[in-house]
Amino acid sequence: TRSTRPQRLLNAVRKHATRGDPQSVISAIDHFCRHSEWAMNIGDEKGSILDSVVSELNPEKVLELGTYCGYSTVRIARLLPPGARLITLEFNADYAAIARQVIAWAGLEDRVQLVEGASEDWIPRMKEHFGIETFDFVFLDHWKDRYLPDTKLMEDCGLLRKGTVLLADNVICPGVPDYLQYVRNSLSYKSCYFKSHLEYTKAEDGLEKSVFLG
Ligand SMILES: Cn1cnc(CNC(=O)c2cc(-c3ccc(F)cc3)cc(O)c2O)c1
Ligand SMILES: [Mg+2]
């Protein structure tokens, strides 16, 4: 049977990236997506903005919603100190299987926990199942109609603290209008927009950074 795009992306990582070298994994995926097949990774341009937000924050506890092939997981985890923890949720089992191998190729499995399942099922279980009190940083990149309900769910589950940073991908393309309206108008968030481009294209897209004020 034909291979899938995520499988071909993983093959490109194995062929062109060095085991244990996260930067080479990132570069191999960006090259594959620019020159072979577009894929919905955050990409190098928005990825640099993600890097700067993570580096400035130095988070200990990170949640990623939407793993896909693990590209942003690798981007974030490579910047974390070894004691820090990144929990990444992926609904799609096929994507999760590929992402595990990409994360392992980068040598970052010791600080990443990939969980398969629906965000709305796992968010309420973070405390008792993972011993998490609150998250320092949350990266939202999953189904766009889940950004707002999952943010409200994280609030209700007490997973956000004063200063927790939410960073949302694709706020222009495909777009998350209900989420944007919420974080930009709620007195509980200080929000700002980082204008960029849809991964590997000239189309406008951007990231919204929102600090929870408690
Ligand atoms: C199936 N599935 C599993 N995870 C998800 C969540 N991610 C997205 O949907 C997503 C989509 C796009 C995108 C797709 C087509 C297009 F024309 C323009 C943009 C870009 C992204 O960066 C994304 O994160 C969907
Ligand atoms: Mg995205």
Side-chain angles (χ1 to χ4, degrees), residues 28-67:
I29 293 172
D30 284 332
H31 188 275
F32 174 80
C33 292
R34 254 185 211 295
H35 303 291
S36 302
E37 302 183 62
W38 186 92
M40 59 181 168
N41 318 114
I42 190 172
D44 41 356
E45 191 181 310
K46 289 187 290 179
S48 299
I49 300 168
L50 170 64
D51 289 357
S52 59
V53 171
V54 173
S55 300
E56 183 192 341
L57 201 58
N58 263 315
E60 292 285 315
K61 300 277 182 254
V62 179
L63 175 63
E64 176 180 62
L65 301 176
T67 316

Side-chain angles (χ1 to χ4, degrees), residues 30-153:
D30 284 332
H31 188 275
F32 174 80
C33 292
R34 254 185 211 295
H35 303 291
S36 302
E37 302 183 62
W38 186 92
M40 59 181 168
N41 318 114
I42 190 172
D44 41 356
E45 191 181 310
K46 289 187 290 179
S48 299
I49 300 168
L50 170 64
D51 289 357
S52 59
V53 171
V54 173
S55 300
E56 183 192 341
L57 201 58
N58 263 315
E60 292 285 315
K61 300 277 182 254
V62 179
L63 175 63
E64 176 180 62
L65 301 176
T67 316
Y68 187 42
C69 295
Y71 174 88
S72 50
T73 320
V74 168
R75 283 203 83 112
I76 297 167
R78 87 191 200 285
L79 299 174
L80 300 180
R85 285 280 164 282
L86 194 169
I87 296 173
T88 183
L89 299 185
E90 178 52 56
F91 178 76
N92 182 304
D94 298 325
Y95 295 161
I98 298 295
R100 285 189 204 286
Q101 297 171 76
V102 169
I103 293 158
W105 197 267
L108 294 168
E109 61 273 39
D110 67 313
R111 63 197 85 162
V112 175
Q113 188 154 8
L114 196 160
V115 180
E116 277 180 56
S119 48
E120 65 267 25
D121 297 339
W122 280 102
I123 286 171
R125 300 175 59 196
M126 281 296 153
K127 294 195 184 231
E128 41 98 10
H129 198 89
F130 297 102
I132 294 275
E133 268 313 294
T134 56
F135 286 106
D136 304 311
F137 178 66
V138 182
F139 178 54
L140 298 93
D141 193 22
H142 59 330
W143 285 330
K144 309 314 163 192
D145 61 358
R146 292 298 317 171
Y147 282 29
L148 182 53
D150 284 343
T151 296
K152 290 181 170 175
L153 187 57

Side-chain angles (χ1 to χ4, degrees), residues 195-212:
K195 184 178 163 77
S196 184
H197 296 93
L198 177 68
E199 47 266 30
Y200 317 115
T201 78
K202 291 185 166 53
E204 181 178 348
D205 189 21
L207 302 171
E208 189 81 3
K209 178 186 172 187
S210 308
V211 183
F212 186 62

